[in-house]
Amino acid sequence: MATVIKNVLIVYAHQDSLSFNAALKNAAVKTLESQGYKVTVIDLYAQHFEPRATRSDITGELSDAKKFSYMQEVGTAFKEDRLSHDIKIEMEKLKEADLVIFQFPLYWFSMPAILKGWVDRVFANGFAFNYAKAQIYDTGLMSGKKAMLSLTTGGPETLYTNKGLNGDMNIILWPMQYGILRFVGFDVLKAQVSYAPAMAADTKRKSMLDNWTTRLKDIAKEKPLEFIPIENFDY
Amino acid sequence: MATVIKNVLIVYAHQDSLSFNAALKNAAVKTLESQGYKVTVIDLYAQHFEPRATRSDITGELSDAKKFSYMQEVGTAFKEDRLSHDIKIEMEKLKEADLVIFQFPLYWFSMPAILKGWVDRVFANGFAFNYAKAQIYDTGLMSGKKAMLSLTTGGPETLYTNKGLNGDMNIILWPMQYGILRFVGFDVLKAQVSYAPAMAADTKRKSMLDNWTTRLKDIAKEKPLEFIPIENFDY
Ligand SMILES: Cc1cc2nc3c(=O)[nH]c(=O)nc-3n(C[C@H](O)[C@H](O)[C@H](O)COP(=O)(O)OP(=O)(O)OC[C@H]3O[C@@H](n4cnc5c(N)ncnc54)[C@H](O)[C@@H]3O)c2cc1C
Ligand SMILES: Cc1cc2nc3c(=O)[nH]c(=O)nc-3n(C[C@H](O)[C@H](O)[C@H](O)COP(=O)(O)OP(=O)(O)OC[C@H]3O[C@@H](n4cnc5c(N)ncnc54)[C@H](O)[C@@H]3O)c2cc1C
Ligand SMILES: [Zn+2]
Ligand SMILES: [Zn+2]
């Protein structure tokens, strides 16, 4: 069954409100709100989000006081409602979202650490997936929701082809689109890649913003990327 | 010319000293020291390393007070020796290293955020690479040094093949091995992947530790991975 999108969550990772990432985020807020969606923005740097996965993420006693396993302790703490307050707040936002947009500049062929830390800590064992109950990929706990990456690069598009210096952008996106978004069950919409805004002429930047706005107007109708269904694998 | 390895730097990202990652790190320290290498360990969680790339990384005035570009400000601050003290300390360790080993558990098909933040902040513009001077990949500023990933997983090896549920491990490693290590000029040694230590029998874990130790004894003789030389690309 197709998700009806009502609430959109934008997880935004840029330091500066005059950046091109900020412009893309602002364009998304404006366009989506004018379409009647409720939009929530998580401004990671502004809220000084904690990226480190540590003992402090669990309040109260550990289930194993001798050896600290982050995955296991978080699983138990989630069940017993003992995760730290800052993680619980982010989980509430995620629960309400029908579509999640990650807006970030590509850092080292991946997400900036502050955003990676949001994933590491918020997509917790028991909340976003449950390996023991086989709730991963198609049956991940975010299934029914949609998600997508919207990223900018320093390098131009020609470098990100299968014959280009940096290699195919699809390979760079794979760990994030499959290993993160699909793993927890999201239907993944095609990534929006805005290449090299800093090198572009102002007209080109305007057209990248327009492309994004135009796409978002019909986002509810988009078909997600296709992945091989989990029942085709032995595991 | 082949690098003579004298100093090894281990960048280690695990919360617990009784973990399998700690055991791999300890085995490396012991083996390498007994071979006569000088070994330095960066224990990221113990030193509560800051992963966020922010304005605080630059001391003194910004070159553009109106719009903050992290890449540009870091480039200027590096030249003028105005990077924050914690980044400069890490850079000193990197400068002395002939071989860098990254020891970490796979988090979401990538590095834990604390380690990603070490890369984001320490592999700074002007220090690790210089895009303007075409000092990237083969001519990156870390060239002459070697680096490698040593990682552990939760999932077993069978899931990480090209027909497995998680897909080929080489694709998962690509952004890190090519986009990070090779980008700054390291000769990249094959990754050491210790699969699913938590699911393994104790004998299997012992043999994974032995494999690592055995490999490290001859690490100086290993040939790096081959990448297409940069002069074969237009960019
Ligand atoms: C640690 C680190 C690692 C990196 N790794 C990579 C990598 O692996 N690969 C890669 O390709 N790049 C990499 N980069 C570069 C990075 O991806 C780019 O710098 C970033 O994506 C550019 O986006 P921005 O929002 O910061 O652009 P900005 O520099 O903020 O903006 C670009 C231009 O757009 C203008 N602009 C802002 N708003 C508007 C508007 N409303 N209308 C028109 N113009 C506007 C700005 O004024 C500016 O001139 C890395 C950078 C860092 C700091
Ligand atoms: C946020 C997050 C994201 C994750 N994402 C992924 C992912 O994308 N893909 C994936 O596959 N996994 C993923 N995992 C799982 C993670 O990669 C594994 O939990 C981790 O790699 C296991 O390594 P460890 O050092 O923590 O093992 P531990 O659990 O510490 O150790 C495993 C076993 O080894 C034993 N041991 C310790 N020292 C020794 C010794 N000297 N000799 C013999 N045995 C010893 C321990 O006692 C324990 O029984 C994720 C985990 C988290 C928390
Ligand atoms: Zn509170
Ligand atoms: Zn100091």
Side-chain angles (χ1 to χ4, degrees):
Chain A
M1 213 190 62
T3 327
V4 178
I5 304 178
K6 283 186 224 136
N7 298 325
V8 182
L9 179 64
I10 303 179
V11 189
Y12 161 73
H14 200 290
Q15 302 91 350
D16 196 90
S17 62
L18 296 177
S19 66
F20 199 68
N21 271 269
L24 289 162
K25 181 260 294 171
N26 295 337
V29 172
K30 202 178 147 192
T31 308
L32 293 165
E33 286 185 342
S34 75
Q35 305 280 104
Y37 300 113
K38 184 175 161 246
V39 184
T40 304
V41 175
I42 299 176
D43 184 341
L44 291 169
Y45 289 102
Q47 68 182 63
H48 206 61
F49 186 80
E50 169 62 63
R52 290 161 288 213
T54 68
R55 198 292 171 219
S56 316
D57 292 352
I58 296 105
T59 59
E61 306 272 295
L62 294 177
S63 67
D64 183 343
K66 286 206 188 104
K67 183 177 172 305
F68 180 71
S69 161
Y70 185 77
M71 179 71 89
Q72 187 184 306
E73 295 295 345
V74 160
T76 307
F78 174 72
K79 263 192 256 170
E80 299 174 356
D81 195 24
R82 293 191 293 104
L83 283 175
S84 66
H85 190 69
D86 67 331
I87 295 178
K88 281 161 58 169
I89 290 175
E90 303 303 301
M91 286 175 166
E92 286 308 314
K93 297 175 195 162
L94 203 43
K95 271 198 247 176
E96 283 169 23
D98 305 302
L99 166 66
V100 184
I101 299 174
F102 294 82
Q103 180 62 57
F104 63 99
L106 193 67
Y107 274 18
W108 296 108
F109 284 32
S110 184
M111 294 173 169
I114 197 168
L115 178 55
K116 183 55 168 53
W118 191 85
V119 172
D120 289 352
R121 298 178 64 230
V122 180
F123 284 11
N125 176 15
F127 171 72
F129 69 96
N130 193 322
Y131 200 86
K133 295 190 186 167
Q135 292 167 321
I136 58 174
Y137 293 113
D138 310 45
T139 54
L141 297 170
M142 295 295 121
S143 59
K145 298 179 191 290
K146 294 174 179 174
M148 67 180 297
L149 308 176
S150 171
L151 58 140
T152 60
T153 68
E157 186 163 9
T158 50
L159 295 190
Y160 287 103
T161 62
N162 66 348
K163 298 213 166 142
L165 179 62
N166 294 339
D168 195 327
M169 181 54 86
N170 287 310
I171 303 231
I172 294 173
L173 299 179
W174 170 261
M176 296 182 273
Q177 295 195 136
Y178 190 68
I180 299 174
L181 302 183
R182 189 61 193 154
F183 186 86
V184 298
F186 284 111
D187 278 332
V188 183
L189 303 182
K190 194 164 141 12
Q192 182 78 11
V193 187
S194 303
Y195 285 99
M199 297 167 70
D202 208 49
T203 48
K204 174 71 185 155
R205 284 198 290 262
K206 293 241 155 59
S207 80
M208 290 195 283
L209 288 167
D210 286 347
N211 289 346
W212 181 220
T213 303
T214 305
R215 182 177 170 195
L216 286 172
K217 284 183 183 151
D218 281 326
I219 199 77
K221 294 181 202 149
E222 275 192 33
K223 295 257 171 298
L225 301 180
E226 288 189 29
F227 297 101
I228 300 174
I230 191 169
E231 61 262 27
N232 294 35
F233 295 98
D234 293 328
Y235 83 101
Chain B
M1 213 189 63
T3 328
V4 178
I5 304 179
K6 284 185 224 138
N7 298 326
V8 182
L9 179 63
I10 303 179
V11 189
Y12 160 72
H14 201 289
Q15 302 90 350
D16 197 90
S17 63
L18 296 177
S19 66
F20 199 68
N21 272 270
L24 289 163
K25 181 261 292 172
N26 294 337
V29 172
K30 202 177 149 194
T31 308
L32 293 165
E33 285 184 344
S34 76
Q35 305 279 105
Y37 299 113
K38 184 175 162 247
V39 184
T40 305
V41 175
I42 299 176
D43 183 340
L44 291 169
Y45 289 101
Q47 66 181 65
H48 205 61
F49 186 79
E50 170 61 65
R52 290 162 287 212
T54 68
R55 198 289 170 222
S56 317
D57 292 352
I58 296 106
T59 59
E61 305 273 295
L62 294 177
S63 68
D64 182 343
K66 287 206 189 102
K67 185 177 170 304
F68 180 72
S69 160
Y70 186 78
M71 179 71 90
Q72 186 184 308
E73 295 296 343
V74 160
T76 307
F78 175 72
K79 262 193 254 169
E80 298 174 357
D81 195 24
R82 293 192 291 103
L83 284 174
S84 67
H85 190 68
D86 67 331
I87 295 179
K88 281 160 58 169
I89 290 175
E90 303 303 300
M91 286 176 166
E92 286 308 314
K93 297 175 196 161
L94 203 42
K95 272 198 246 176
E96 284 170 22
D98 305 303
L99 166 66
V100 184
I101 299 174
F102 294 83
Q103 180 62 56
F104 62 98
L106 194 66
Y107 274 19
W108 296 109
F109 283 32
S110 184
M111 297 173 165
I114 198 169
L115 178 54
K116 182 55 168 52
W118 190 85
V119 173
D120 288 352
R121 298 178 65 230
V122 180
F123 283 12
N125 175 16
F127 171 72
F129 69 98
N130 192 320
Y131 201 87
K133 295 188 183 168
Q135 290 166 324
I136 57 173
Y137 292 112
D138 310 45
T139 54
L141 297 169
M142 295 295 122
S143 60
K145 298 179 191 291
K146 293 173 179 173
M148 67 181 298
L149 308 176
S150 171
L151 57 140
T152 60
T153 68
E157 186 164 9
T158 49
L159 296 191
Y160 287 103
T161 62
N162 65 350
K163 298 217 168 139
L165 178 62
N166 294 339
D168 195 327
M169 180 55 86
N170 286 310
I171 302 231
I172 294 172
L173 298 178
W174 170 261
M176 296 182 273
Q177 295 194 329
Y178 190 69
I180 298 174
L181 301 183
R182 188 61 194 152
F183 186 86
V184 298
F186 283 112
D187 278 332
V188 183
L189 303 182
K190 194 165 140 9
Q192 183 78 12
V193 187
S194 303
Y195 286 100
M199 295 167 70
D202 208 48
T203 48
K204 173 71 185 157
R205 283 197 291 260
K206 292 240 155 60
S207 80
M208 288 195 282
L209 289 166
D210 285 347
N211 289 345
W212 182 220
T213 303
T214 305
R215 182 178 170 194
L216 286 172
K217 285 183 183 151
D218 282 325
I219 199 78
K221 295 182 201 145
E222 274 191 33
K223 295 257 171 299
L225 301 180
E226 289 190 29
F227 297 101
I228 300 174
I230 191 170
E231 61 262 26
N232 294 35
F233 295 97
D234 294 327
Y235 82 101

